Amino acid sequence: MCDAMTIVSNRHTGMEISPELGSHSSTIDRRTVHRRAISEVLVSSIAPLHGCADGRFVVSAQLPRAHAYFPPVAGRHDPMLLAEVLRQAVIAISHEFLGVPFGHHFTMQALSISVTTSPFPSFTEPADLVVEVGISNAQTLDDGLCAIDVDLTFMHGTSTIAYGSGQARIFAPAAYARLRQPILAIEASHMPIENQAGSDRPGICVLDGCGAAGTWRLRVDPGHPTFFDHPSDHVPGMLILEGFRQAALQQTQNGHNLLATMSARLHRFGELDRETTISIVNDTAPGVHLQCRQDDHLLAEATVTFSPTRS
């Protein structure tokens, strides 16, 4: 186990790992990534690079050929899966190496993914990734680690295919109970299978038109097997990010449908019993700027760009 206070000021500074590091033979314990379904676990191994001294880790992950929700895009693995790898890596490292007990709650307050100019992996086989993860700016309270920043470099073979970053908050059970209300029971809305606008892949659309141009209602279905893999008392962050992606696709409709960049900030919890909307703020270069709201409250905001599929 690493001492969180030893990595307070670290920032990861460059790739020093090779494709041979890590293991893709099996997934890690599903509990360490807060998943119930083994099929939703993408991370296969985690190890410190230098004995935790500088807060750097090597994470192995595999993108499946046919994920239950994020299937291939134009013959390529869906880059949105990298956001889920980031989320799982943050949680697993915190449990395995930073002393965070099971039962603590994690929320992502910021998350960014940027795909490089290297060809994104083809879906013709599972994509074995090796990811360098740097942990920095660790903050602690009396009940343990409460916040970390994370930077990631994603490698497929010898190619760097993407970069990522994020900020996570961690709540002990008692602190979370004070912060949140009990889980609300709402009736699941059965989401029909639809094609996403601007995409050649069939999938589940998470948006409903609200009448106002550039505004959609986010479908919050507590029975969804991916976004609600485990019970949640709030709108999952990954659902909001997918809403951003789909709204941006509908706004652009230019044939460029492979996610290139997403930079998001999540400001507050979304409640399950309130209408949640995704809106286009503007679509001026260099991307589509979006907001997620409930009533008059800003839940999250993001900027999204797309690129043509690279051969």
Side-chain angles (χ1 to χ4, degrees), residues 189-232:
S189 60
H190 299 288
M191 298 190 294
I193 302 295
E194 300 176 3
N195 283 340
Q196 294 182 19
S199 173
D200 65 356
R201 70 178 178 90
I204 298 176
C205 183
V206 300
L207 301 178
D208 281 327
C210 291
T215 299
W216 297 266
R217 182 184 298 106
L218 185 67
R219 300 179 182 178
V220 179
D221 179 4
H224 196 284
T226 296
F227 298 122
F228 286 87
D229 166 84
H230 55 280
S232 177

Side-chain angles (χ1 to χ4, degrees), residues 15-189:
M15 203 68 178
E16 295 180 6
I17 63 176
S18 68
E20 291 75 23
L21 291 176
S23 170
H24 299 90
S25 61
S26 63
T27 62
I28 61 175
D29 189 330
R30 62 184 180 176
R31 295 175 301 169
T32 62
V33 295
H34 295 191
R35 284 301 191 187
R36 279 188 168 181
I38 297 173
S39 61
E40 291 291 331
V41 181
L42 303 180
V43 172
S44 55
S45 70
I46 301 175
L49 269 177
H50 301 123
C52 299
D54 61 357
R56 295 172 66 198
F57 300 83
V58 57
V59 173
S60 299
Q62 185 181 84
L63 309 185
R65 290 187 65 188
H67 186 270
Y69 184 81
F70 297 107
V73 179
R76 301 287 168 182
H77 285 281
D78 188 348
M80 278 292 289
L81 285 169
L82 300 184
E84 179 62 15
V85 171
L86 186 157
R87 188 197 72 85
Q88 292 188 15
V90 168
I91 297 172
I93 289 172
S94 298
H95 283 316
E96 293 289 323
F97 295 98
L98 303 183
V100 177
F102 290 127
H104 281 49
H105 298 261
F106 288 74
T107 63
M108 297 301 301
Q109 296 196 315
L111 187 149
S112 296
I113 294 293
S114 178
V115 177
T116 70
T117 56
S118 298
F120 208 73
S122 168
F123 83 101
T124 54
E125 61 182 9
D128 291 340
L129 306 184
V130 176
V131 188
E132 181 187 10
V133 181
I135 302 292
S136 63
N137 298 329
Q139 302 175 38
T140 59
L141 295 174
D142 292 340
D143 49 12
L145 188 68
C146 67
I148 54 174
D149 292 351
V150 60
D151 293 276
L152 300 90
T153 303
F154 298 87
M155 287 189 69
H156 178 245
T158 59
S159 298
T160 299
I161 61 169
Y163 298 97
S165 63
Q167 297 175 339
R169 289 289 307 275
I170 305 163
F171 300 92
Y176 192 81
R178 291 192 298 268
L179 180 67
R180 299 293 296 143
Q181 56 189 338
I183 293 177
L184 298 172
I186 65 173
E187 182 179 357
S189 60

